[in-house]
Structure formats: structure tokens, C-alpha cells
Amino acid sequence: MTTMLRRRSPSDKYPLFSQYPYTLSSVMVAKMCSRMCVDSDCGSRACGSSPRSSIPEATISGMKLDDLVIPSTSACAAALEVASAYCSPALLNHSARAYIWAAAYGSSRDITFDPELLYVASMLHDIGLATEFDNHTVSFDEAGGHVAWVFAAGAGWPAERRTRLSEVIVRHMWDQVDVAMDAEGHLLERSTSTDISGRNVDDFPAGFRAEVLERYPRHGLAEEFLSCFRNQAERKPDSSAAAAVRNNIAARIVVNPLDA
């Protein structure tokens, strides 16, 4: 008998998903509009509006988590659904926090970014670590970029925007990304480094960090992530994960203040 793989839904992973705060405001996933764009502030180039940061003129010192919003687009809802189906609780929360750190930092620094593009990239940036998408030869970030390109095609994004999504995901593993070249790539690289190794964690006041971690617990991310990277490095010695292991990412992960 053939066993069919059943993808998990958010409610499979979290039975009380309707009460689980996986949107970044009080607006829940069930209320996300099914249209590509429901308002002029979504930042979607696909619908023709100008990219805008989520919290104009905000400062992190006075920021609250509920000040951050995700654009109400079907692509964002679908990205959350995909991440919920394939990522572990630790990686799912990491993806949510990646957007939070990125959007909070970008907004407070007056960096103009596309919230929809940044959110979708955040939710899918580690999809290449999922067993179902773990390529045997291609680095996980590159594999994730390809998965995201296909996802974006299904979402109806034009080819240029699909490529941008893939670029942002691949570049999150760079040592640094020039904000003038790629604002979303810069923000995601910075935010994932904050969440994994604690780099630049002092950009965020203790109260804001505590609020984020209370709502999006880490669920043993350090151990799981390091295990994933060591596995990737062993099988793919030329990959970005292997380079990170050689550069002693383990030492930085174990002293991350976010896990203190």
C-alpha cells in the first residue's frame, strides 16, 4: 500500500491555532484577505503600490509588538501556511521573529522596504532545511530560493518579483548585504543573524525582546538549528552551512543572549 504524505496545517501543529499569535498584529490569519492586495499600504509591487515600511517614523525604544503588521495579501497568508506545514515549531517561530527583527529595525532606521516581500522571504528562508525540500547537492539557502520562486509563481507574482524573493532568501546567508543594493536582503540577513547568534541584539531594548520571545518562544532553536547545520555540512561540504560550521557558528549560537 502506498502511503501518501499529508502536509500539516497550522491547526495540526497548534490545535488552538486561531488563538496562536502567528500574525504580527491582532489581525489573525483567518482574516487575511484572499485578494492579492487589499490596501494601498501593503507594499506589493505586484499590485502596483509603492513599497513602504510597516511603521513609518517608528523608534524601537517605544515600539510594541502589536505595532508591527504584516501586509494583508494572499501571498503572505499562503507563506505562513506553507511554513506552518513544513517547519518545526522552532523554525516556524524563528521565521516569524526574523520578520519582526527585520521590520522593527528597518522601520526605526527609515529604511524603505517592501513588507510583503520581506514577510514572505522571512517565512520561507529556511524551507530548504525541511526534509521534503532538502536538496542533496544544493546549499539549503539556494534550494529555499528555488522553492520560493515556484511559490511566488503560484502566487501570481511576475518573474522579476519571483527572482527578487529568491535573491533575498539566498542573501540571508551572506556575511552582510549592502542596504543600497537590496534593502530586504540586508534586513533579513541582519535579523536572522540576530535570532540565531545574537549579533546586533542590542539594537532592540530588553522590553521589546522579552515581548517578542514571550509570544514566539524559541522551542530549543539553538540545538535544532546547530544539528541541522552540522548535518548539512557533513553532506554538502561546499555549502553555506558548512562554511558557517567551519567559522565556528556553534560558539556564537551557545552564547546568544536570546537563549539566556
Side-chain angles (χ1 to χ4, degrees), residues 35-89:
R35 291 172 293 170
M36 183 62 192
C37 180
V38 298
D39 60 58
S40 60
D41 291 336
C42 77
S44 171
R45 293 189 181 96
C47 64
S49 61
S50 299
R52 296 180 57 182
S53 59
S54 300
I55 334 167
E57 300 179 359
T59 59
I60 294 180
S61 61
M63 187 179 296
K64 299 295 184 183
L65 182 53
D66 285 335
D67 292 334
L68 290 168
V69 296
I70 56 175
S72 300
T73 72
S74 58
C76 289
L80 174 60
E81 183 177 2
V82 168
S84 299
Y86 288 104
C87 293
S88 68

Side-chain angles (χ1 to χ4, degrees), residues 4-245:
M4 299 298 291
L5 175 65
R6 185 176 72 88
R7 290 180 298 168
R8 301 183 297 273
S9 70
S11 58
D12 290 333
K13 195 179 295 289
Y14 300 105
L16 299 179
F17 187 79
S18 63
Q19 300 177 21
Y20 201 86
Y22 267 93
T23 56
L24 306 182
S25 72
S26 59
V27 182
M28 301 309 294
V29 171
K31 295 183 179 180
M32 282 187 166
C33 182
S34 61
R35 291 172 293 170
M36 183 62 192
C37 180
V38 298
D39 60 58
S40 60
D41 291 336
C42 77
S44 171
R45 293 189 181 96
C47 64
S49 61
S50 299
R52 296 180 57 182
S53 59
S54 300
I55 334 167
E57 300 179 359
T59 59
I60 294 180
S61 61
M63 187 179 296
K64 299 295 184 183
L65 182 53
D66 285 335
D67 292 334
L68 290 168
V69 296
I70 56 175
S72 300
T73 72
S74 58
C76 289
L80 174 60
E81 183 177 2
V82 168
S84 299
Y86 288 104
C87 293
S88 68
L91 285 179
L92 183 58
N93 275 11
H94 164 61
S95 299
R97 290 191 306 271
Y99 178 80
I100 293 172
W101 306 132
Y105 179 82
S107 298
S108 68
R109 297 302 195 278
D110 293 326
I111 298 173
T112 299
F113 64 90
D114 181 327
E116 181 187 56
L117 179 61
L118 180 61
Y119 181 81
V120 173
S122 297
M123 298 313 299
L124 301 181
H125 79 277
D126 278 342
I127 198 72
L129 292 175
T131 300
E132 296 85 346
F133 303 113
D134 183 8
N135 190 291
H136 286 279
T137 59
V138 176
S139 184
F140 86 95
D141 42 316
E142 295 179 11
H146 288 295
V147 173
W149 194 100
V150 174
F151 168 91
W157 287 11
E160 180 182 0
R161 187 168 176 79
R162 299 172 213 164
T163 299
R164 279 291 300 121
L165 176 62
S166 181
E167 289 173 345
V168 173
I169 289 175
V170 170
R171 290 170 182 169
H172 93 271
M173 284 299 294
W174 288 13
D175 289 336
Q176 60 181 23
V177 181
D178 185 352
V179 66
M181 177 187 73
D182 181 354
E184 293 80 17
H186 170 80
L187 292 172
L188 187 59
E189 178 276 318
R190 191 179 182 94
S191 70
T192 53
S193 295
T194 295
D195 205 61
I196 293 299
S197 63
R199 190 170 73 179
N200 300 311
V201 71
D202 289 337
D203 285 341
F204 309 95
F208 183 73
R209 297 199 305 263
E211 185 182 11
V212 172
L213 295 177
E214 180 179 7
R215 191 173 301 185
Y216 301 94
R218 294 182 69 79
H219 294 312
L221 175 66
E223 294 80 4
E224 179 177 330
F225 193 85
L226 189 54
S227 176
C228 283
F229 262 41
R230 284 171 171 162
N231 179 272
Q232 293 276 319
E234 182 178 354
R235 293 185 291 112
K236 295 178 279 190
D238 295 326
S239 66
S240 59
V245 171

